[in-house]
Amino acid sequence: MTDGVTDPELRAEILRIAAQRGSGKTLCPSEAARGIGGDRWRDLMPAARRIAFDLAGEGLVHVTQHGEPVAPDARGPIRIRWIDGGAATTDDIGAATTNDGASGEAPSSG
């Protein structure tokens, strides 16, 4: 990781953004990397992509290209979409952001 940014912090940021947007919108992993990595966000991209696919494997998000699910070895831009009713709740996300040292509030459930 770069400048003290940890995998759990990056994971929490991806989950925070995805949950906030809901299943109707997607995010690019670079949005989470930029949010916590500042000018060094590019250094976080390999980890952000890996974490996105980890989250997909856990049933929390979908990872897509051109709206279609892709495998972890996919090349090119990917998008992350929250799964409504997935394995995590907003309470789980709040616990992740407070227990791993990442800053930020959990999204509201309403």
Side-chain angles (χ1 to χ4, degrees):
M1 294 284 103
T2 184
D3 293 335
V5 175
T6 65
D7 277 7
E9 289 170 329
L10 188 53
R11 174 189 166 93
E13 182 69 357
I14 291 170
L15 285 173
R16 183 190 67 75
I17 296 169
Q20 182 180 45
R21 292 189 181 171
S23 64
K25 297 191 177 198
T26 63
L27 71 129
C28 178
S30 68
E31 294 176 69
R34 288 174 198 261
I36 64 172
D39 292 338
R40 307 271 323 237
W41 67 271
R42 284 182 181 87
D43 295 337
L44 297 174
M45 286 305 295
R49 287 179 65 99
R50 177 180 41 78
I51 291 167
F53 284 106
D54 289 347
L55 293 170
E58 294 172 31
L60 302 176
V61 300
H62 290 293
V63 178
T64 63
Q65 271 183 344
H66 307 289
E68 298 297 320
V70 292
D73 62 350
R75 299 175 80 127
I78 60 171
R79 302 295 293 180
I80 303 166
R81 180 183 309 274
W82 179 255
I83 297 175
D84 282 336
T89 66
T90 53
D91 290 338
D92 295 330
I93 296 163
T97 58
T98 56
N99 291 338
D100 68 15
S103 62
E105 294 291 319
S108 66
S109 58

